[in-house]
Amino acid sequence: MLTAADLSMLNSDLTAEVMEQVDRIIEDNKGKPGCLIPVLEDCQRVVGYLPVELQDYISERLDIPASTIYGVVTFYSFFSMVPKGRHVIKVCMGTACYVRGTKEILKRLTEEFGLEVGQTTQDRRFSLEAVRCLGACGLAPVMVVDEDTHGWMNPKKALEILEQEKIKQETIEANKLREGGNTVEITVHMGTCGIAAGAEEVYNSLREEIERSGRQDISVVVTGCAGMCSSEPNITIRRLGEDAVLYRDLDREKAKEIFRKHVIEGKIPEEYVLAKIK
């Protein structure tokens, strides 16, 4: 049977810390009906993708054939067997976009970044995908970067937008460094599943705790779905100079406890942690 140490030698992304989180995910779900997809979702959130060696590891511990796991991973488009970049670029290849020039946009991007469709840049900043119709034909040609849709594109504009994304990220990190060592950002993931599970209550609870603390260096922002529907409501907390921490299955009281321990005391309540993100 493969061990966590074996995987660390096979794949540098599967560190001892990462595998501890993978083992926790497997143990929390093992034996539950329909546990495979939640396990794969959570493991992909931790690792960033689902390499074959990790699939084999999951197969042995859930007693599910590796061929079944491989079939699930390759069937659902939200799973990936290759590392994803921090920004995912989707170029629409639907008919309206194609006839208006997305082939040229895609060609320019592959030349600029030296990668093919489905690949990720070496620094893991960008992943490039060609997708079917995005349903925005009136804006053709269309390119999506993360959750932002950009219409009426051409090769030059596409590169300009990606350069802006790069600069924006660098500026955010630089500003955080200048602001001092106690800057904290809390992200509340409020997609449809999150709202149904109580994310709004979690958000309101955090706002109350921030006001009560009197701290002026804590921001709380709302985003869409984090792709972790089975663990909603969830939040991410990032303190300057530290890895971001994703917390799962929250309510008002748990959110208050996490705020007090992580944000105020600087201690991570491990019992609520889903993943730690570089």
Side-chain angles (χ1 to χ4, degrees), residues 123 171 192 227 254:
D123 61 3
T171 301
T192 304
K254 289 178 182 178

Side-chain angles (χ1 to χ4, degrees), residues 2 7 10-11 14 49-59 66 69-70 73-74 80-82:
L2 283 170
L7 264 65
L10 291 170
N11 187 324
L14 303 176
Y49 65 114
L50 297 168
V52 171
E53 53 269 25
L54 180 59
Q55 294 179 42
D56 291 341
Y57 186 85
I58 294 169
S59 166
I69 295 179
Y70 181 82
V73 171
T74 54
S80 175
M81 291 178 58
V82 296

Side-chain angles (χ1 to χ4, degrees), residues 127-220:
S127 291
L128 180 61
E129 298 180 0
V131 298
R132 298 291 184 181
C133 183
L134 290 168
C137 303
L139 302 177
V142 173
M143 179 180 76
V144 174
V145 181
D146 299 331
E147 297 180 358
D148 297 326
T149 300
H150 303 276
W152 304 298
M153 299 303 298
N154 59 47
K156 181 180 178 182
K157 284 176 64 177
L159 290 177
E160 288 174 350
I161 287 169
L162 296 178
E163 184 61 26
Q164 290 168 9
E165 290 291 340
K166 180 180 178 181
I167 293 171
K168 186 191 335 181
Q169 184 63 36
E170 291 172 349
T171 301
I172 288 171
E173 295 302 322
N175 287 340
K176 285 182 178 179
L177 288 173
R178 285 195 291 267
E179 287 171 1
N182 56 356
T183 299
V184 180
E185 180 179 87
I186 305 173
T187 303
V188 181
H189 305 290
M190 210 177 293
T192 304
C193 293
I195 293 172
E200 289 178 310
E201 284 296 301
V202 169
Y203 173 79
N204 291 334
S205 176
L206 291 168
R207 295 294 306 175
E208 292 167 6
E209 290 302 305
I210 292 171
E211 185 174 349
R212 188 176 293 114
S213 74
R215 295 271 295 269
Q216 301 297 314
D217 59 326
I218 304 170
S219 64
V220 57

Side-chain angles (χ1 to χ4, degrees), residues 13 83-87 89 112-115 119-128 162-163 165-167 169-170 278:
D13 290 329
K84 292 276 187 166
R86 295 189 294 279
H87 300 290
I89 309 162
E112 178 70 19
F113 296 109
L115 75 166
Q119 294 182 344
T120 299
T121 54
Q122 288 189 347
D123 61 3
R124 295 198 183 177
R125 184 181 294 276
F126 296 116
S127 291
L128 180 61
L162 296 178
E163 184 61 26
E165 290 291 340
K166 180 180 178 181
I167 293 171
Q169 184 63 36
E170 291 172 349
K278 298 291 185 181

Side-chain angles (χ1 to χ4, degrees), residues 21-155:
Q21 296 177 59
V22 168
D23 286 338
R24 191 180 307 127
I25 291 166
I26 293 172
E27 286 304 313
D28 288 347
N29 290 276
K30 189 174 182 179
K32 295 179 180 179
C35 69
L36 178 56
I37 288 182
V39 166
L40 293 176
E41 287 179 336
D42 291 354
C43 288
Q44 179 164 283
R45 180 68 180 181
V46 171
V47 182
Y49 65 114
L50 297 168
V52 171
E53 53 269 25
L54 180 59
Q55 294 179 42
D56 291 341
Y57 186 85
I58 294 169
S59 166
E60 292 177 349
R61 279 149 185 81
L62 292 183
D63 195 25
I64 295 174
S67 58
T68 299
I69 295 179
Y70 181 82
V72 170
V73 171
T74 54
F75 179 80
Y76 290 103
S77 62
F78 51 81
F79 290 132
S80 175
M81 291 178 58
V82 296
K84 292 276 187 166
R86 295 189 294 279
H87 300 290
V88 178
I89 309 162
K90 297 178 181 178
V91 179
C92 180
M93 300 301 286
T95 303
C97 289
Y98 188 84
V99 299
R100 294 182 184 179
T102 50
K103 182 179 179 181
E104 287 72 27
I105 294 171
L106 198 59
K107 181 174 182 289
R108 185 72 182 89
L109 294 178
T110 60
E111 292 173 348
E112 178 70 19
F113 296 109
L115 75 166
E116 298 298 325
V117 171
Q119 294 182 344
T120 299
T121 54
Q122 288 189 347
D123 61 3
R124 295 198 183 177
R125 184 181 294 276
F126 296 116
S127 291
L128 180 61
E129 298 180 0
V131 298
R132 298 291 184 181
C133 183
L134 290 168
C137 303
L139 302 177
V142 173
M143 179 180 76
V144 174
V145 181
D146 299 331
E147 297 180 358
D148 297 326
T149 300
H150 303 276
W152 304 298
M153 299 303 298
N154 59 47

